[in-house]
């Protein structure tokens, strides 16, 4: 066997070994946060976009959708220092459920918010109950009414949100002093 | 002329759970963010990229709307429309695909190249070394396929 061919074979074998090791490391890492009920699930969607026209024109991109028992379980990734789930996470996942459900796929009422601590490989997963289609449609109608000036907007629930807001100077009545 | 449909995104709807006033302020003054928010967005984007790369590595057949980025080493170092990529693609189709050994090499290369391409995208210095090494290979491939074409003509 010529030397160059032996070197090429060695490089390919080394790359193959690296690939196997990487996959094993990723699988181990995934096992640390994947909930037991999704342990045997198939990953059906990753960064998949869904578009619907009814009950209102909506576009949603699913971070991950796992298929288990003929049902899709949605998972949303967030990077946060505190492993806290916010109402906006539930709304986002529920809108994804509405968009994906319209394609004829059965989607579970249970979703997951996976929180990654920034700059680390530490994850924490939280199971959440998703909102139904009527509530999401009502939210979309309210948003439209807000934008048309038909209804007054509500302020942020927490002062902390105002403190970090880029529109603090222009906000008519923030919860914190400027 | 038909009116274009205006879609609301799941992310825009999610803002309703943060602050409704902000939605109106954003419309009035344009999209704005603090340095802290921009930094958080960048961190989030990087985490999503990595999360997606992991999904592809573990589940290659997963359905996605995103292009399967960085699948090939030459694409990662030269860019998808570079002449070197075109030369290597021609070499793959006209030379390698005609032989059983070549087909085996292509299959192996397709399995191994995505993590290498991802690593090259992260390390520009390494990408420069690989680019330098691939240039003569691409030129050789171009010369060989051109010669084959002349012979056939």
């Amino acid at each position: 066997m010529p030397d160059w061919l032996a070197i090429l074979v060695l490089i390919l074998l080394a790359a193959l070994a690296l690939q196997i090791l990487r996959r094993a490391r990723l699988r181990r890492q995934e096992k640390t946060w994947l909930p037991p009920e999704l342990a045997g699930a198939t990953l059906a969607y990753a960064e998949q976009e869904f578009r619907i026209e009814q009950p209102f024109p909506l576009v949603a991109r699913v971070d991950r959708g796992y298929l288990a028992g003929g049902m899709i379980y949605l998972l949303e990734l967030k990077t946060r220092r505190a492993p806290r789930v916010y109402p906006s996470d539930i709304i986002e996942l529920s809108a994804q459920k509405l968009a994906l459900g319209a394609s004829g796929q059965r989607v579970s009422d249970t979703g997951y918010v996976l929180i990654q601590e920034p700059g680390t490989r530490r994850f924490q997963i939280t199971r959440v109950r998703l909102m139904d289609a009527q509530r999401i449609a009502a939210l979309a109608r309210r948003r439209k009414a807000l934008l048309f000036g038909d209804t007054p907007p509500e302020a942020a629930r927490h002062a902390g949100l105002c403190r970090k807001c880029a529109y603090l100077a222009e906000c008519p009545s923030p919860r914190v002093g400027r | 002329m038909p009116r274009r449909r205006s879609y609301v995104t799941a992310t825009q709807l999610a803002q309703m759970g943060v602050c409704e006033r902000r939605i109106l302020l954003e419309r009035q003054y344009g999209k704005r963010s603090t340095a802290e928010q921009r930094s958080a967005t960048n961190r989030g984007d990087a985490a999503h990229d990595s999360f997606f790369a992991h999904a592809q590595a573990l589940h290659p057949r997963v359905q996605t709307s995103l292009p399967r980025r960085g699948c090939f080493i030459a694409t990662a170092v030269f860019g998808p429309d570079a002449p070197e990529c075109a030369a290597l693609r021609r070499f793959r189709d006209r030379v390698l695909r005609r032989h059983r050994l070549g087909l085996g090499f292509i299959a192996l290369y397709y399995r191994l190249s995505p993590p290498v391409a991802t690593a090259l995208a992260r390390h520009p210095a390494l990408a420069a070394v690989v680019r330098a090494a691939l240039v003569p290979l691409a030129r050789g491939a171009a010369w060989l396929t051109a010669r084959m074409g002349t012979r056939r003509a």
Side-chain angles (χ1 to χ4, degrees):
Chain A
M1 187 189 278
D3 284 354
W4 66 267
L5 191 57
I7 291 169
L8 187 67
V9 168
L10 276 177
I11 290 172
L12 287 173
L13 285 175
L16 184 64
L18 280 176
Q19 162 90 331
I20 291 167
L21 287 173
R22 179 175 180 257
R23 284 171 69 105
R25 178 177 61 78
L26 293 177
R27 200 156 276 143
R28 271 199 311 276
Q29 190 183 313
E30 199 174 79
K31 270 186 187 162
T32 61
W33 56 258
L34 201 66
E37 57 270 30
L38 295 185
T42 308
L43 183 66
Y45 304 110
E47 297 289 348
Q48 174 69 38
E49 195 175 277
F50 295 93
R51 239 167 235 270
I52 56 169
E53 303 296 333
Q54 296 297 333
F56 60 93
L58 168 70
V59 57
R61 180 172 278 184
V62 169
D63 278 354
R64 285 198 185 185
Y66 287 90
L67 179 66
M71 187 101 84
I72 293 288
Y73 291 81
L74 295 171
L75 182 145
E76 178 72 15
L77 174 74
K78 297 288 173 193
T79 47
R80 280 174 199 153
R81 289 188 204 289
R84 228 175 273 147
V85 172
Y86 296 110
S88 56
D89 302 332
I90 317 259
I91 296 171
E92 194 165 3
L93 275 167
S94 306
Q96 291 171 10
K97 180 188 169 219
L98 178 64
L100 176 51
S103 68
Q105 184 78 58
R106 283 175 63 212
V107 188
S108 173
D109 289 337
T110 301
Y112 297 90
V113 181
L114 179 68
I115 298 171
Q116 181 177 11
E117 198 179 310
T120 73
R121 285 182 184 157
R122 277 194 290 276
F123 293 91
Q124 188 161 324
I125 197 156
T126 305
R127 190 183 296 116
V128 291
R129 180 100 184 144
L130 304 187
M131 296 156 74
D132 60 29
Q134 284 75 27
R135 281 187 70 191
I136 289 294
L139 208 58
R141 279 195 301 274
R142 178 166 173 81
R143 184 177 178 276
K144 203 171 173 182
L146 280 174
L147 291 172
F148 278 104
D150 294 340
T151 189
E154 278 182 18
R157 287 195 190 126
H158 306 289
L161 288 169
C162 296
R163 224 170 280 128
K164 292 177 191 166
C165 186
Y167 301 94
L168 181 61
E170 290 86 2
C171 187
S173 49
R175 286 183 182 274
V176 290
R178 293 190 180 98
Chain B
M1 213 168 111
R3 268 184 65 198
R4 273 178 68 190
R5 294 222 79 163
S6 166
Y7 288 86
V8 59
T9 69
T11 312
Q12 284 172 331
L13 270 187
Q15 284 175 351
M16 294 285 288
V18 181
C19 176
E20 290 182 351
R21 280 197 193 136
R22 205 188 141 191
I23 294 170
L24 293 182
L25 289 165
E26 190 176 302
R27 196 183 61 164
Q28 193 177 346
Y29 296 102
K31 207 169 168 65
R32 197 190 286 175
S33 54
T34 61
E36 195 186 336
Q37 284 165 343
R38 280 193 295 278
S39 157
T41 304
N42 291 340
R43 266 201 314 264
D45 288 347
H48 272 86
D49 283 351
S50 168
F51 199 55
F52 177 62
H54 293 176
Q56 276 198 307
L58 287 178
H59 314 274
R61 288 190 195 90
V62 69
Q63 194 177 316
T64 178
S65 307
L66 293 187
R68 289 172 189 268
R69 290 166 294 178
C71 281
F72 307 107
I73 295 165
T75 310
V77 296
F78 293 118
D81 303 320
E84 287 85 356
C85 289
L88 289 168
R89 267 186 225 119
R90 273 197 303 275
F91 182 73
R92 175 196 65 193
D93 296 337
R94 292 184 193 175
V95 180
L96 293 177
R97 277 198 205 283
R98 288 164 184 254
H99 305 283
R100 192 182 286 180
L101 205 64
L103 285 171
F105 175 80
I106 292 170
L108 189 65
Y109 177 76
Y110 280 13
R111 279 187 70 88
L112 300 178
S113 63
V116 179
T118 307
L120 291 173
R122 281 191 200 150
H123 304 285
L126 189 62
V129 173
V130 174
R131 197 180 303 123
L134 279 180
V135 165
L137 273 180
R139 282 189 190 153
W143 176 79
L144 197 66
T145 45
R147 204 165 157 228
M148 285 170 72
T150 315
R151 249 195 237 158
R152 207 170 293 142

